[in-house]
Amino acid sequence: MIKVITFDLDGVYFPNGKQIFVDSVEKPGVPADEIKRVFAHSDQMNNEYKLGKIGDEEFWNWASKEWKLNKTAKELIDILIDSYTVDEKIVSIVKKVRESGYKTAICTSNFPARINGLQQKFGFLDNFDIKVISYEVGFNKPNQEIYKKLVQISNVNPEEIIFADDNLESVENAKSVGITTFIYEHFDKYLKQLQEVGVTFR
């Protein structure tokens, strides 16, 4: 019996925010590939910032220098948060699932400025019972350890948790610890997959 349902943040709950941020920073003349190198692919982002080893000021001041921008860490963070909107359809489903007795969860590779900024703007964390965030637990997706943390924090059996992701390695590593998993393709299909394993909500 499913007790915990995990929802994806980037690209689902918050659609297109990352791309809008890239487009916004690109306007002063910084190539998109260079923005993505720093923001998405750098060791500083993935192995330090998202793991809580460096803070907001250190990362964004470094990013500003890499991009040769005359912007403070706060200015870049403000641009980032301004880039995000919520998908109200997804928010509604999360609330309905929760009202129907399931625990709602996030399991995310993320960094403080984005989580705190989006919480201040949207109060989104209030819709989730379980929060597994990389910089708090010290592991990134798709590391198997972050899914063990999801099980531990959820305090249920692994098979009672649903996790979906568009990254095959993430799905396989979550499945390896016993979690019920789906490959995420689009939200309507995800809803059907939930129904197929017995999840019902009003």
Side-chain angles (χ1 to χ4, degrees), residues 9-22 24 39 60 76-87 109-111 113-115 117-119 121-122 124:
L9 293 181
D10 218 12
V12 180
Y13 198 100
F14 298 108
N16 304 319
K18 189 183 296 183
Q19 186 58 53
I20 292 170
F21 172 71
V22 170
S24 298
F39 182 64
W60 290 105
L76 284 174
I77 291 168
D78 286 346
I79 293 170
L80 176 72
I81 300 306
D82 286 345
S83 301
Y84 281 81
T85 58
V86 296
D87 186 327
S109 294
N110 230 305
F111 48 87
R114 183 158 58 187
I115 291 292
L118 294 177
Q119 172 63 7
K121 185 176 180 180
F122 299 109
F124 79 101

Side-chain angles (χ1 to χ4, degrees), residues 25-202:
V25 178
E26 189 180 10
K27 288 177 183 176
V30 185
D33 286 348
E34 179 64 7
I35 299 166
K36 291 175 182 176
R37 177 187 70 81
V38 169
F39 182 64
H41 306 303
S42 66
D43 283 341
Q44 285 84 349
M45 171 59 83
N46 294 311
N47 297 323
E48 295 184 38
Y49 193 23
K50 285 184 176 180
L51 294 180
K53 296 177 181 178
I54 61 174
D56 294 329
E57 288 282 328
E58 185 173 348
F59 176 81
W60 290 105
N61 285 331
W62 171 77
S64 185
K65 289 178 183 177
E66 289 293 302
W67 293 332
K68 298 179 175 62
L69 293 176
N70 186 26
K71 291 189 180 297
T72 64
K74 183 182 183 306
E75 286 172 329
L76 284 174
I77 291 168
D78 286 346
I79 293 170
L80 176 72
I81 300 306
D82 286 345
S83 301
Y84 281 81
T85 58
V86 296
D87 186 327
E88 293 294 349
K89 180 180 74 173
I90 307 302
V91 176
S92 175
I93 293 295
V94 172
K95 289 180 178 179
K96 286 179 180 178
V97 162
R98 201 179 190 195
E99 289 165 2
S100 297
Y102 300 96
K103 289 185 177 181
T104 54
I106 55 172
C107 182
T108 180
S109 294
N110 230 305
F111 48 87
R114 183 158 58 187
I115 291 292
N116 295 332
L118 294 177
Q119 172 63 7
Q120 185 173 3
K121 185 176 180 180
F122 299 109
F124 79 101
L125 291 175
D126 301 344
N127 292 327
F128 296 96
D129 302 292
I130 297 150
K131 299 110 177 169
V132 181
I133 305 172
S134 60
Y135 65 82
E136 292 183 342
V137 301
F139 301 104
N140 261 331
K141 295 192 301 185
N143 190 319
Q144 187 188 65
E145 295 301 318
I146 198 170
Y147 308 112
K148 292 179 181 178
K149 287 289 185 182
L150 175 59
V151 174
Q152 179 186 346
I153 294 170
S154 297
N155 197 30
V156 299
N157 296 323
E159 65 272 15
E160 295 173 324
I161 302 171
I162 286 179
F163 173 83
D165 202 289
D166 59 1
N167 181 289
L168 180 59
E169 187 178 1
S170 287
V171 170
E172 288 178 343
N173 284 349
K175 187 175 182 179
S176 72
V177 301
I179 294 172
T180 301
T181 59
F182 304 126
I183 291 287
Y184 187 90
E185 296 179 36
H186 55 79
F187 197 70
D188 288 341
K189 182 171 181 179
Y190 183 50
L191 291 182
K192 289 181 181 178
Q193 290 169 322
L194 292 180
Q195 292 167 357
E196 287 169 1
V197 294
V199 172
T200 58
F201 53 90
R202 296 182 296 275

